[in-house]
């Protein structure tokens, strides 16, 4: 099984510990609401949380929203998706299977090439009609640093926008559905997964692309 996924549960603890040790004031469950400009400078932001509405001022702000939310609210020009039609990359809900027989994979072939052991089952199921799965044409998973667990990047939700709450909701539900379609098929049809089950589904849908901020310089494919 290669490459390997990381242990995101442990990583949460590591990140928390590093931030606390560095004296960072951490605020979870807080959402950006507005940005206030003073000429060309961003002077403050307004946020919403369980504590209500609050205003934060700073000499500099870093937009880590993943979607350029702060930049957009501050009036920075941007585009969305590809130039010809605004379509963005597909979204994905990752998931994990537990109680997978990695030992059988090792005995059958090469554990580092485990996808190749499962791929024939997948292609045969698609060809025969046993499995209806038009979202990804091949098996895509990674090893996970825990016994019997494998991490899957298999779901695909197309033609949805990461800037639409309706699309995000629909994509998250659809991604979870696709995860269980694959999970159930693996359990029923692939020997390595005979006693496996869906152990965890991502807490939210993964968005690959939304705004493209138009800054001082735009990197191109040629760059």
């Amino acid at each position: 099984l290669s490459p390997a996924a990381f242990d995101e549960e442990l990583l949460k603890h590591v990140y928390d510990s590093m931030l606390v040790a560095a004296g960072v004031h951490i605020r979870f469950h807080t959402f950006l609401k507005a940005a206030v400009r003073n000429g060309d400078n961003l002077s403050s932001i307004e946020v919403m949380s369980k504590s209500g509405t609050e205003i934060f001022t700073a000499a500099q702000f870093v937009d880590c929203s993943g979607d350029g939310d702060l930049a957009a609210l501050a009036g920075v020009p941007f585009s969305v998706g590809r130039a010809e039609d605004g379509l963005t990359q597909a979204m994905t809900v990752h998931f994990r299977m537990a109680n997978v027989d990695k030992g059988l994979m090792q005995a059958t072939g090469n554990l580092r090439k485990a996808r190749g052991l499962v791929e024939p089952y997948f292609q045969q199921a698609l060809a025969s009609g046993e499995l209806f799965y038009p979202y990804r044409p091949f098996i895509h998973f990674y090893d996970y640093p825990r016994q019997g667990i494998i991490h899957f990047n298999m779901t695909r939700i197309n033609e949805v926008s990461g800037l639409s709450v309706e699309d995000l909701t629909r994509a998250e539900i659809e991604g979870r559905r696709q995860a269980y379609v694959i999970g159930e098929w693996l359990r029923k049809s692939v020997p390595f997964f005979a006693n496996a089950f869906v152990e965890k589904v991502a807490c939210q849908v993964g968005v690959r692309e939304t705004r493209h901020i138009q800054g001082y310089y735009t990197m191109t494919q040629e760059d």
Side-chain angles (χ1 to χ4, degrees):
L1 290 165
S2 179
F6 58 87
D7 186 337
E8 79 283 2
E9 299 302 332
L10 177 59
L11 188 63
K12 294 174 192 175
H13 170 61
V14 170
Y15 280 167
D16 286 346
S17 301
M18 292 174 67
L19 290 169
V20 169
V24 176
H25 180 69
I26 305 167
R27 286 289 302 268
F28 293 144
H29 313 293
T30 304
F31 300 92
L32 183 64
K33 182 180 179 182
V36 179
R37 285 173 48 171
N38 180 12
D40 289 336
N41 297 319
L42 181 60
S43 58
S44 65
I45 60 172
E46 183 179 358
V47 300
M48 282 290 295
S49 70
K50 287 290 187 179
S51 301
T53 301
E54 296 173 282
I55 303 293
F56 291 106
T57 60
Q60 292 181 329
F61 294 86
V62 179
D63 188 339
C64 297
S65 64
D67 298 305
D69 291 341
L70 178 55
L73 287 171
V76 176
F78 63 87
S79 60
V80 177
R82 62 189 184 188
E84 57 266 34
D85 58 7
L87 187 67
T88 57
Q89 297 180 63
M91 297 184 190
T92 292
V93 173
H94 285 223
F95 65 97
R96 296 194 310 230
M97 299 285 291
N99 208 32
V100 180
D101 195 337
K102 293 184 184 180
L104 180 59
M105 283 183 172
Q106 181 71 65
T108 305
N110 186 338
L111 192 60
R112 293 184 61 83
K113 297 180 179 178
R115 292 181 194 169
L117 299 175
V118 180
E119 187 67 24
Y121 292 96
F122 184 65
Q123 295 303 328
Q124 182 178 0
L126 293 178
S128 68
E130 174 194 350
L131 175 66
F132 177 74
Y133 200 80
Y135 317 107
R136 241 195 191 283
F138 57 89
I139 281 287
H140 194 200
F141 59 76
Y142 306 90
D143 195 9
Y144 189 79
R146 290 288 182 267
Q147 184 176 356
I149 296 181
I150 289 179
H151 183 98
F152 281 81
N153 176 358
M154 275 294 295
T155 72
R156 284 291 181 277
I157 307 96
N158 292 297
E159 298 183 7
V160 283
S161 170
L163 304 178
S164 162
V165 68
E166 294 289 344
D167 279 7
L168 286 168
T169 301
R170 179 164 59 88
E172 203 158 293
I173 293 170
E174 172 60 15
R176 282 197 285 265
R177 185 193 70 81
Q178 291 180 22
Y180 277 93
V181 168
I182 286 293
E184 282 300 299
W185 170 75
L186 286 166
R187 186 182 62 80
K188 293 177 181 178
S189 302
V190 183
F192 316 113
F193 295 87
N195 299 306
F197 55 91
V198 175
E199 183 261 348
K200 185 174 183 179
V201 181
C203 61
Q204 66 182 51
V205 65
V207 179
R208 290 184 172 84
E209 181 186 17
T210 51
R211 295 185 181 95
H212 297 258
I213 298 303
Q214 298 173 13
Y216 291 114
Y217 182 81
T218 299
M219 293 187 69
T220 66
Q221 184 173 346
E222 287 69 29
D223 291 328

